[in-house]
Every structure is written in C-alpha cells, then in structure tokens.
C-alpha cells in the first residue's frame, strides 16, 4: 500500500490547488473525490448537448455526480405562500426562517465547473468588519495575503486592469503589478451604462450619503489577451482545456459560462488537475465519510466509500478537507472533530443577491459574452457599512435569465399571455429580448452563529450518512443593505430611462422573499457559501487558525470559503484560492520539519523559486 | 425530400404563425422535423384541422382547440421545444435555430460564438472586431 504524505478530500478549486502546489514540492498526494474523474462521464456528449441538458438547472446536474454523493438541485428549493415562504427537498433540507438559496456541485472539479469566473480581490478593510460594528475580524490582513493573491491570479489566469483596480477601488496592488491578462473588453451594456451614468450621483437613503457612479471592469478568471508586461516582462500564456499552454485560447463570447464554457476559456479546476505532477493521484468516485485521528487527536487518514461499494481507509501524515463549505462542516461533524469552540458549522454566509431588471431604451446587447463583465464598486467600502451591508453591483448581461428563467418565458408571455402571432409576435419578442438587462446587488452577509449547518436528525443520504441541515436567516444589517440597493436601483432606472420589470412573483419562483419597511424584496443565492469552519486567533472562538489548520487536530486542515470570517463583497473564490495556496505552503513546512531529522535536503524556502510558470519551460 | 402538398401547407401555416417567411423558415432546416412533431403531438385530427381551418389571422381563432394547437406550433418554432405536456426539446439543432434568437438578431448561447470581444457590440453589428482584439492598456 502506497504511503501518502497528504490526503486531499475534494478536487474542486481549493483541493486541486493544494494538491498541485504540494505535488510540485515532490509530495505524494492522494486526492479523494466523490465524483467521476471526467465530470462529463467520459461520454462523447458535445458541449451543446451538455449545456442544453443543464440550462435552467444550474448548478450542474449534467456533470453526473454519483447518486451516492448527491448535491442540492435547483428545483429542490421552491417558494411557497405562508411561513416560511419556501419548501425544500433533496440533499439540503432547511428549517430556518429564510432559505439558503445557493447550491453546490459534487462532481470532479466541484462547483468550480459551473462558476461564472469573476475573480475580484477583497478590499483591505474587508478583513476587519468589527471596526464597523459587525461581523468577525480575520486573524490575518490584506498585506499578509497579498503575495498569495498574486499567486492565485497566476493559477486561475486572471484578466484585469490593475490601474483601474488601484484608482477606482483603492486596491494597494504592488507597484508595477499587472494581471496575467489584459482586461476583457467591456460589454455593450457596460458601455451604455458608462455613457449614461459615469460621474452621476445616486443617494443611499440608508447611509444618508451620495455615491458617485463609475462603471468598473471586473477581474475575470477567463482567457483574454495576455499582458506582455506580466511577470517582469516574461508575459503569460493562456491555458487551454487541460491546463496546457494554449496561446490562442480566448473567451469567444458563447454566453454559457454557467454551466459550461464550450471553448474552455473559463478557468476550471480541471485545468489545474491537468498540470498535476506524477506525485498526485486522483481516486475518483470515492466519498469520504470520516476523518480518522489517533489518541492524541492527530489526523491519521480518512475512511471513504470507494467506487466498488466497499468502505476503505487511507492514511497520510496530513489530511486536507476541501469538500466545499457545507460538506467540510458536515464531514467534521460526522467525525466528531474540531468542536471545542462550538463554532463548527456556524456562521454560514452567502451573498444574498437582490435582482432588479428591466428594458433599456436601446439595445442592451444581451446573451453574448460572460454573464457579467463590469459593475459598480462604489458601494463596497467606507463608513456606510456601519449602517447597512455593503454590496457589489454586477451588470447582468444575460437578459432576464437569472430573474425569470430562459427566453422561453418571454415567448410564453407574448404568445400565450398576450395572444400575439406573426409579425406582431416577432417584433415584440425581438424588441423585448434585445433591450433586457439585470442589476445584481450582491450583499455582504456577516458571520452570525445562528446561521448554521448541522447533521439532520433523521434524513440520511444513499450511503446512510446524515444529510446536512441548514438553518438560515438574513439579519437587519443585510435587509438594510437590500433597502439601500433597492433605492439605488430605482434611481438607476430613472437615470437610464429604463422600463422597470422587477417583480418578485409568483411565490414559487421566489423562495427568498421578505418584506422590509413595507417593501417586498426577493433574493437569490450567489453560490458563495462561506463560514462553517471559521478561522480566528483563538481555539476558544474559532475552528481553524490563520493557516486553516484545525486548532485541536495536528495534521488536519479545512480549506475553502468555509474558513472565511467575513465573505466581504467580492466573489470569494480568488480569496479562497489565495488562502489555499498559503495553506499548502504551511503543509509543506510541516512535512519538511517532519523530514528534517532523516533528510539532509534543504526544503524549498521561496515559493517563487519552486513554483514556475509554464512559459519558463518547466515540463507540465 | 420531395416537397409534398402537406409540407408546403405546414410551411405556409408556420409563416403565418411566426412572422418569418418561408425562406427564413426553410433556412433553419427544421421545417420537416417540426411538421413531424406537430403531427404526432397534435394527433391526426387536430393536426388536419390546424392545417385547413386556421383563419388567415391566427389570433382570430375563436375555437380553443385550434387556438392552442396554433400556440403550440408557434412555441415550437420560437424555442425548439414542444410545450407539452410534457415539454421537450426537439434537438440541440432546434435550440440553436430557435426563432426567439433570430427575432432579436442574436445567436443562441453556446452556439456560433461571435469571437473575442463580440459582446462589446449591439446585435447584428458584431463583424470586424480586428480593432478590439489586442487592444487594452
Ligand atoms: C452558479 C455559480 C456561480 C459562481 N460564480 C462565481 C464567481 O463568478 N466568482 C466566484 O468567486 N465564485 C463563484 N461561485 C462560487 C465558487 O464556485 C465556489 O466558491 C468554489 O467553487 C468553491 O470551491 P471549493 O473547492 O471549496 O468547493 P467545490 O468547488 O464545490 O469543490 C468541492 C469538491 O469536493 C468534492 N466532495 C464533496 N464532498 C465530498 C466527500 N465527502 N468526499 C470526497 N469528495 C467530496 C466535490 O465533489 C467537489 O469536487 C459560483 C458558484 C455557483 C454555484
Ligand atoms: S462567454 Fe463563452 S467563451 Fe467566454 S468564458 Fe463564457 S462560455 Fe467561455
């Protein structure tokens, strides 16, 4: 039996990166992944068929996880009249006042198969919201994570505009830093909004201040045009389908990044897996059910349900859980570990998203390119966050699909609802779709111990393991953020001369619906699960330390957004990737110190020396 | 495939329903498949009634049976899906050729991508992107 240095549980974004980094150090890494190695099931299905099978069913039913490892499906959560205003079925039962409206994917590559690919950094002030009177402080700051942010931007291949990020967001990017790739061209919608709104001011009635509007490009983890200035003039080579250098690979605008990018321009963990060294072994269709520890609490391995149906064990010096925020917490709970602080499973966060939508007076250019290219960043920072949750505003370029469903809805509206046929129908449908746009206000939600994942007392999954049970609500701070967002949206529609169509009915379509100060708000989940094994500076109040190591269990790490003490306003995956790379360094240091008495080799000291980009000729 | 009287009737019916002319409908390559789907899903009697009895202006169809048959066939052309019950997509090709996209001057997502930077332009004005490629700071 092979002896491994490290077992990584879950081959999503976090797990694939940790395995990659440790493999580069020559470590023997076993990755146990619940889904099949090829998330398409190895079939010859063309991307369009995959997409069609999936459209309207995000996330990821076509990715074929084993039935033994179910994940929440989109139709599992349905709105209802009465209290609570929702019903759940399937893998993720819930019993809270409001629904946790996000899913995740258990297939190789994880939720990272179906993500949108927006990759902004957190702001320095996001690491300490306690200063604003809410949430939890991180045990590390922006400056500590900065080198890891750069490393993550290389791994994910981020396209962005460093000068604009400095000037418009105040991000302290190092002097001379540029992203691997140049910013993506702004979408037609972004250009229309910039022409109308840049420099205008809107009033935030909650914070009682005015905010100047400025359309800002979002950093993207999808291939654009490489920046020749990157890496001190060494440039960057975009990576293609299997993570190999592919200089010609570019986003071609298919507008199907969720759930599948047919041209493989979008980053997915499968690209990282394609670059794994020989020391990394993927054992797929293996659902981990328990972490094993010795008498001293040190991790020794895991128990898993293998593809042949048998329960097996694997041993290693270090175990890294990277199974997604909800499943990481579930695994620790199933194992009865890491519970000393009482915080395990608590502080579940998401970005609840307020959607508003309407028709521009002119062409919005919808349904081409990424789902969102640019946004407003001016509501993310500053003293206003004392009074209400801060938010990012994303411009939704895929018509009303997130709000109302696929364009079939528009056809149905005019055909069945209004009785139009012929030229009238053609004109009405065409006009409506061309002018559609959506505003997506992504609220920061703070760490609240009452929002949590526990083990369901009676419901079991097909392997007989208790299902996760979620209890969730939105607090007054988030609701005040939504109220501010609603008021901002009203003013934006006014300034744009846009026709508003926002409507949070029927109830079935809006499980996340609440009334606040006499106005009804409907929200969706962004898929940004965080909290659950929160990091901190004391074992009495947190589950993991700043390295994502479990306080009470030497050799056991829990990585992913689950460690984040605040989810900030940025889409979280880039930050999660930076944290994962940082943890990999720490794991390597642990292993190196273990090795020291018997090995005379000097452990690598600088990550830039040993982590080399493919363009420098290192064999992939 | 020889053009039968019936398929001609189906195309001219479809043109009236959809607002796209015969040539545009033929260009989708879907007419024959849709004719078969409509005939099968509606059943011989309703299908024959639709072909023969639908008034010149389809929205004048007072008869609920005719009316719902007309709606179903129009829905099929616009989305590539039969509206049910149960609803089903005819084929990936049908999705790509949905008139809903053509009515808006767009291409269906995941089909015929417009190329790098094509999202910067208004529909129908996506050619000639040479200037966008390679631009940037
Ligand atoms: C529709 C959608 C859009 C999104 N867009 C963005 C975006 O634009 N920007 C952004 O920053 N974030 C985005 N996200 C969030 C992003 O996808 C997640 O933050 C990220 O994928 C989390 O990575 P992870 O590695 O922690 O978990 P995952 O990617 O979910 O990977 C977990 C892996 O663990 C495996 N696993 C689970 N349980 C077990 C077990 N018991 N045993 C073995 N293996 C197991 C799973 O199969 C999976 O492969 C989006 C999410 C969704 C749903
Ligand atoms: S817009 Fe298309 S090519 Fe670009 S990332 Fe999305 S799916 Fe891929």
């Amino acid at each position: 039996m092979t002896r491994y240095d490290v077992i990584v549980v879950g081959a999503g974004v976090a797990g694939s990166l940790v395995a990659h980094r440790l493999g580069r150090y020559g470590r023997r890494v076993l990755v146990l992944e619940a889904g099949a190695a090829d998330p398409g099931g190895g079939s010859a299905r063309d991307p369009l068929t995959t997409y069609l099978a999936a459209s309207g069913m995000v996330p990821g039913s076509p990715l074929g996880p084993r039935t033994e490892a179910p994940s929440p499906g989109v139709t599992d959560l349905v709105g209802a009249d009465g209290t609570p205003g929702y019903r759940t079925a399937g893998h993720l039962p819930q019993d809270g006042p409001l629904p946790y409206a996000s899913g995740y994917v258990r297939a190789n590559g994880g939720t990272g198969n179906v993500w949108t690919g927006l990759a902004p950094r957190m702001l320095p002030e996001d690491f300490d919201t306690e200063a604003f009177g809410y949430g939890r402080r991180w045990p590390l700051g922006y400056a500590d994570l900065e080198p890891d942010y750069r490393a993550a931007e290389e791994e994910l291949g981020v396209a962005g505009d460093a000068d604009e990020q400095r000037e418009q967001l105040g991000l302290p990017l190092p002097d001379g830093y540029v992203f691997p790739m140049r910013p993506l061209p702004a979408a037609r919608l972004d250009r229309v909004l910039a022409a109308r709104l840049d420099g205008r001011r809107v009033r935030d009635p909650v914070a009682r201040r005015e905010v100047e509007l400025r359309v800002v490009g979002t950093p993207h983890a999808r291939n654009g045009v490489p920046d020749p200035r990157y890496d001190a003039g060494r440039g960057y080579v975009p990576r293609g389908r299997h993570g190999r250098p592919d200089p010609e690979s570019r986003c071609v605008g298919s507008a199907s990044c969720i759930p599948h990018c047919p041209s493989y321009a979008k980053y997915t963990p499968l690209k990282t897996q394609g670059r794994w060294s020989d020391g990394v072994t993927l054992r797929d269709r293996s659902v981990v059910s328990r972490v094993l520890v010795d008498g001293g609490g040190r991790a020794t391995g895991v128990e898993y349900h293998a593809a042949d149906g048998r329960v097996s064990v694997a041993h290693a010096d270090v175990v890294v859980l990277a199974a997604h925020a909800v499943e990481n917490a579930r695994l620790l709970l199933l194992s009865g570990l890491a519970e000393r602080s009482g915080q395990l499973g608590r502080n579940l966060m998401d970005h609840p998203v307020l959607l508003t939508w309407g028709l521009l007076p002119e062409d919005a250019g919808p349904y081409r390119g990424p789902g969102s290219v640019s946004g407003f960043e001016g509501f993310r920072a500053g003293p206003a966050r004392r009074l209400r949750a801060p938010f990012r505003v994303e411009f939704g370029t895929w018509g009303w699909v997130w709000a109302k469903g696929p364009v079939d809805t528009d056809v149905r509206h005019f055909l069945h609802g209004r009785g139009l046929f012929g030229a009238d129908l053609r004109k009405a449908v065409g006009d409506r779709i061309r002018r559609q746009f959506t505003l997506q206000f992504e609220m920061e939600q703070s760490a609240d111990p009452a929002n949590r994942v526990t083990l369901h007392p009676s419901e079991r999954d097909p392997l007989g393991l208790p299902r996760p049970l979620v209890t969730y609500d939105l607090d007054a701070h988030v609701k005040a953020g939504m109220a501010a967002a609603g008021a901002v949206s009203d003013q934006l529609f006014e300034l744009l001369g846009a026709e508003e169509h926002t409507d949070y009915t029927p109830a079935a379509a809006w499980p996340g619906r609440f009334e606040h100060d006499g106005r009804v708000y409907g929200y969706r989940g962004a898929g940004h699960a965080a909290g659950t094994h929160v990091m901190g500076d004391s074992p009495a109040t947190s589950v993991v330390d700043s390295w994502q190591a479990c306080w009470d269990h030497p050799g056991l790490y829990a990585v992913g957004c689950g460690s984040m003490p605040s989810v900030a306003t940025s889409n979280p995956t880039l930050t999660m990737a930076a944290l994962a790379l940082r943890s990999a360094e720490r794991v390597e240091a642990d292993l190196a110190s273990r090795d020291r008495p018997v090995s005379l080799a000097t452990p690598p000291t600088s990550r830039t020396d040993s982590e080399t980009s493919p363009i420098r000729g290192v064999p992939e | 495939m020889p053009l039968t009287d019936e398929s001609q009737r189906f195309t001219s019916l479809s043109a009236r329903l959809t607002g796209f002319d015969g040539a545009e409908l033929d260009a989708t390559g879907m007419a024959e498949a849709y004719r078969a789907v409509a005939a099968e899903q509606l059943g011989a009697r309703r299908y024959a009634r639709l072909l023969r009895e639908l008034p010149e202006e389809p929205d004048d169809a007072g008869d609920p049976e005719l009316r719902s048959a007309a709606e179903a066939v129009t829905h099929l052309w616009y989305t590539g899906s039969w509206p049910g019950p149960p609803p089903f997509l005819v084929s990936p090709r049908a999705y790509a050729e949905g008139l809903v996209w053509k009515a808006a001057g767009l291409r269906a997502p995941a089909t015929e991508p417009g190329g790098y930077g094509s999202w910067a332009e208004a529909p129908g004005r996506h050619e000639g992107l040479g200037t966008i490629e390679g631009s940037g700071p």
Side-chain angles (χ1 to χ4, degrees):
Chain A
M1 186 180 146
T2 318
R3 172 85 204 169
Y4 294 97
D5 295 311
V6 182
I7 291 170
V8 175
V9 179
V13 180
S16 297
L17 288 174
V18 168
H20 177 60
R21 185 52 75 80
L22 291 169
R24 285 289 156 110
Y25 281 119
R27 298 296 167 187
R28 286 150 305 172
V29 183
L30 174 65
V31 182
L32 293 170
E33 163 55 47
D38 175 352
S43 66
R45 273 169 125 193
D46 67 295
L48 181 56
T49 315
T50 311
Y51 173 65
L52 287 171
S55 60
M57 313 179 63
V58 172
S61 46
L63 296 168
R66 302 172 74 200
T67 47
E68 289 88 334
S71 17
V74 164
T75 49
D76 287 353
L77 179 64
V78 183
D81 290 315
T83 314
Y86 70 91
R87 280 192 313 265
T88 52
H91 183 60
L92 200 61
Q94 304 194 35
D95 67 359
L98 284 171
Y100 176 74
S102 281
Y104 51 92
V105 174
R106 292 215 280 170
N108 184 28
T111 319
N113 287 296
V114 303
W115 76 317
T116 314
L118 305 184
R121 293 187 181 194
M122 281 171 60
L123 307 173
E125 67 173 53
D126 289 334
F127 290 80
D128 182 11
T129 62
E130 284 178 14
F132 297 101
Y134 70 93
R136 289 176 65 119
R137 194 164 49 80
W138 288 55
L140 74 168
Y142 179 91
D144 300 307
L145 205 55
E146 208 287 327
D148 306 296
Y149 265 133
R150 276 181 278 153
E153 280 156 358
E154 206 227 290
E155 295 291 346
L156 270 53
V158 175
D161 184 336
D163 293 335
E164 189 179 49
Q165 294 287 305
R166 277 190 204 95
E167 285 156 24
Q168 299 299 329
L169 281 76
L171 265 187
L173 299 172
D175 284 347
Y177 182 69
V178 294
F179 289 96
M181 285 178 272
R182 288 171 157 172
L184 289 201
R188 156 95 183 159
L189 176 64
D190 308 339
R191 291 164 202 246
V192 172
L193 265 55
R196 296 276 177 77
L197 302 175
D198 271 358
R200 305 293 292 263
R201 303 174 79 82
V202 295
R203 202 176 136 67
D204 169 350
V206 177
R208 299 216 191 86
R209 70 190 261 266
E210 288 206 326
V211 177
E212 185 175 321
L213 302 172
R214 178 75 50 195
V215 174
V216 178
T218 308
H220 288 252
R222 54 171 53 70
N223 292 333
V225 176
D227 192 325
R229 297 169 301 171
Y230 183 67
D231 195 15
R234 279 178 286 261
Y236 181 86
V237 180
R239 296 186 187 113
R241 177 169 188 174
H242 299 291
R244 313 263 164 224
D246 183 356
E248 299 309 316
S249 178
R250 303 259 192 291
C251 172
V252 292
S254 332
S256 64
C257 332
I258 306 173
H260 176 73
C261 172
S263 62
Y264 301 94
K266 182 185 76 171
Y267 170 82
T268 78
L270 303 187
K271 292 193 181 188
T272 295
Q273 293 179 18
R275 302 165 62 224
W276 280 348
S277 68
D278 290 345
V280 182
T281 305
L282 176 71
R283 194 167 297 160
D284 69 340
R285 303 170 65 205
S286 299
V287 183
V288 173
S289 46
R290 199 154 60 99
V291 179
L292 307 171
V293 297
D294 67 16
R298 165 173 278 281
T300 59
V302 298
E303 173 193 275
Y304 66 100
H305 294 248
D308 62 10
R310 269 190 295 203
V311 178
S312 303
V313 292
H315 292 288
D317 292 331
V318 174
V319 173
V320 179
L321 303 182
H324 182 271
V326 171
E327 295 294 331
N328 266 1
R330 180 180 178 221
L331 266 174
L332 288 168
L333 289 165
L334 285 170
S335 311
L337 301 177
E339 298 189 272
R340 171 157 46 137
S341 65
Q343 294 299 309
L344 177 59
R346 294 190 182 272
N347 308 302
L348 175 66
M349 294 172 273
D350 191 11
H351 284 129
V353 186
L354 182 78
L355 298 179
T356 62
W357 61 98
L359 300 175
L360 281 183
E362 69 264 74
D363 262 337
Y367 290 105
R368 268 111 38 88
S372 176
V373 185
S374 307
F376 290 132
E377 306 286 344
F379 303 90
R380 290 176 63 181
R385 60 201 293 183
R386 285 187 175 281
L387 300 166
R388 50 126 177 102
F391 49 90
R392 264 191 85 231
V393 189
E394 289 180 356
F395 305 156
T397 58
W398 292 351
W400 296 351
V401 72
W402 202 11
K404 300 284 286 177
V407 286
D408 298 28
T409 320
D410 300 299
V411 173
R412 218 169 280 122
H413 170 78
F414 288 113
L415 176 63
H416 304 282
R418 297 273 205 82
L420 301 187
F421 287 98
D424 294 342
L425 176 66
R426 178 177 181 166
K427 188 163 173 301
V429 165
D431 177 66
R432 164 110 130 196
I433 289 173
R434 262 199 311 272
R435 292 162 53 208
Q436 285 179 347
F437 76 109
T438 302
L439 299 176
Q440 304 163 181
F441 299 84
E442 311 219 343
M443 300 292 134
E444 177 181 37
Q445 176 173 33
S446 52
D448 176 351
N451 289 337
R452 64 190 299 200
V453 178
T454 51
L455 297 178
H456 198 284
S458 55
E459 284 195 32
R460 300 278 183 277
D461 74 7
L463 292 174
L465 306 169
R467 290 195 196 275
L469 170 66
V470 161
T471 308
Y472 184 78
D473 200 1
L474 301 182
D475 64 14
H477 198 241
V478 173
K479 288 179 177 171
M482 295 247 185
V488 166
S489 176
D490 292 345
Q491 296 168 72
L492 295 176
F493 273 82
E494 178 86 39
L495 290 169
L496 289 167
E499 200 180 294
E500 173 116 31
H501 282 256
T502 307
D503 176 16
Y504 305 116
T505 59
W510 291 97
R513 204 156 64 131
F514 63 89
E515 207 180 303
H516 178 73
D517 282 346
R519 183 167 169 172
V520 173
Y521 299 87
Y523 68 91
R524 300 253 190 258
H528 301 171
T532 70
H533 44 83
V534 77
M535 69 163 62
D537 43 26
S538 155
T541 55
S542 58
V543 180
V544 299
D545 66 14
S546 72
W547 302 98
Q548 305 188 82
C550 293
W551 286 109
D552 293 337
H553 304 288
L556 179 59
Y557 288 73
V559 305
C561 297
S563 298
M564 293 170 61
S566 75
V567 70
T569 47
S570 39
N571 316 50
T573 304
L574 180 79
T575 301
M576 179 193 81
L579 288 170
L581 293 171
R582 186 171 181 274
S583 293
E585 293 300 317
R586 181 57 179 221
V587 171
E588 173 55 28
D590 288 356
L591 292 170
S593 67
R594 172 206 68 180
D595 294 344
R596 206 161 289 130
V598 291
S599 157
L600 296 175
T602 330
T605 46
S606 149
R607 95 179 40 133
T608 33
D609 288 344
S610 34
E611 172 65 12
T612 325
S613 77
I615 45 161
R616 280 178 241 157
V618 167
E620 280 295 298
Chain B
M1 189 164 299
L3 221 58
T4 60
D5 188 38
E6 191 211 316
S7 43
Q8 255 158 3
R9 271 167 182 265
F10 182 73
T11 300
S12 70
L13 165 82
S14 297
R16 256 191 298 152
L17 291 173
T18 61
F20 286 75
D21 66 27
E24 290 171 312
L25 296 179
D26 281 346
T28 66
M30 296 308 300
E32 198 46 37
Y34 289 169
R35 194 193 54 72
V37 169
E40 190 193 321
Q41 294 296 317
L42 293 171
R45 191 187 55 80
R46 278 201 295 161
Y47 176 65
R49 278 201 69 200
L50 182 66
L51 282 193
R52 265 184 253 104
E53 296 173 32
L54 190 78
E56 201 45 47
E57 293 297 324
D59 47 335
D60 290 344
D63 176 331
E65 186 181 84
L66 264 190
R67 173 93 191 194
S68 79
E71 285 177 359
V73 171
T74 312
H75 189 275
L76 178 62
W77 273 106
Y78 267 79
T79 65
S81 307
W82 185 257
F88 63 89
L89 180 73
V90 170
S91 65
R93 171 88 192 262
Y95 161 80
E97 295 294 340
L99 297 182
V100 61
W101 304 109
K102 299 183 198 299
L106 296 170
R107 287 169 287 220
T111 69
E112 287 187 79
Y116 184 67
S118 53
W119 50 89
E121 306 296 310
R125 267 162 275 155
H126 41 257
E127 275 78 46
L129 284 168
T131 50
I132 286 173
E133 184 97 22
S135 71

